Amino acid sequence: MANRDQITLLKSSVARWNIWRENNPKIDPDLDRVDFNGVNLKNANLRRANFYMALLNGANLQGSNLTKTFFASSDLRGANLSETDCSGPKFNGTYLDGCTFKKATLRKMDFSNRDLRDVDFSEADLRRADLRKSNLKQVNFFKADLRKTLFTEANLTGAYLSSTLLEDTDFQWANLSKAVMRYSLNLTAAQIQSAKIDRETKVPHYLRIDWISETDFCCKENSVSVSYTHLRAHETEADLVCRLLLE
């Protein structure tokens, strides 16, 4: 059951809350079923906190410590989780529609079989994360680290994967129709060949798509390889918008 004193302290002052957490490291906050809609919890120490069925719609959790935080069945729609440390939190049954994980640490996170449409994962660290069979339609992965990330059978229709790191990323049977993968690094012809694409899928310039029929294609590496490391390092979100308009 939620602790009223803890709720009052957290809502009144994140600074005082963090001091209390430092002085009471063995207490795991109980905040289940509490209404935190739109509340500013920026930089809060929420490590191991229990937010079961809590309402966090539009809440600001930017920079918060979410290590092993329990969000099962909570509502995080439209919440700002940018720059958060998400080491082992539980998002089982959590509503995440339209929330932002920009620059968040999400290594090895299990996001499989989830509806994550319109979520912002730009510049996030998703290495070895599991997004198998998830709906990632039009999700923004701009400059995200997706090395060894699992996208098996995921719906990436219209996803923005420009300037991502894609070494050993698993796209087997993933739907990459209309996806933008320009300027991504370490993407191979074999990875594209294992996925579903269409004529609107945009691959890096070091790869070439030869269409055999309306649905069959052959992806090959261009004879002249091009390095986009410099371009990626200096690319801005303004460039992203300009390229989307051009593409």
Side-chain angles (χ1 to χ4, degrees), residues 47-101:
R47 184 177 183 275
R48 300 182 67 91
N50 176 20
F51 282 102
Y52 176 69
M53 292 187 71
L55 301 177
L56 292 147
N57 198 311
N60 182 14
L61 292 99
Q62 181 178 355
S64 295
N65 182 350
L66 304 181
T67 303
K68 297 184 178 180
T69 306
F70 192 75
F71 286 112
S73 301
S74 62
D75 185 354
L76 280 162
R77 286 177 291 186
N80 181 6
L81 292 95
S82 299
E83 302 173 28
T84 51
D85 181 358
C86 295
S87 301
K90 299 296 183 182
F91 289 113
N92 309 67
T94 305
Y95 295 100
L96 295 169
D97 313 38
C99 68
T100 300
F101 283 101

Side-chain angles (χ1 to χ4, degrees), residues 138-186:
Q138 297 183 330
V139 166
N140 181 9
F141 288 104
F142 177 63
K143 281 190 175 182
D145 190 341
L146 303 174
R147 287 175 289 177
K148 297 187 177 181
T149 302
L150 300 176
F151 286 112
T152 311
E153 297 184 70
N155 179 15
L156 286 152
T157 303
Y160 198 83
L161 294 145
S162 183
S163 301
T164 51
L165 299 177
L166 299 174
E167 183 178 358
D168 295 325
T169 306
D170 189 348
F171 288 113
Q172 191 165 25
W173 301 308
N175 186 352
L176 289 167
S177 300
K178 299 180 178 64
V180 178
M181 309 178 81
R182 294 273 175 84
Y183 307 100
S184 59
L185 297 175
N186 304 120

Side-chain angles (χ1 to χ4, degrees), residues 41 113 127 130-131 135 145 150 157 166 175 188 205 208 212 216:
L41 302 175
N113 234 344
R127 281 176 286 175
D130 187 352
L131 292 105
N135 187 356
D145 190 341
L150 300 176
T157 303
L166 299 174
N175 186 352
T188 66
H205 293 292
R208 184 179 81 248
I212 302 169
D216 297 324

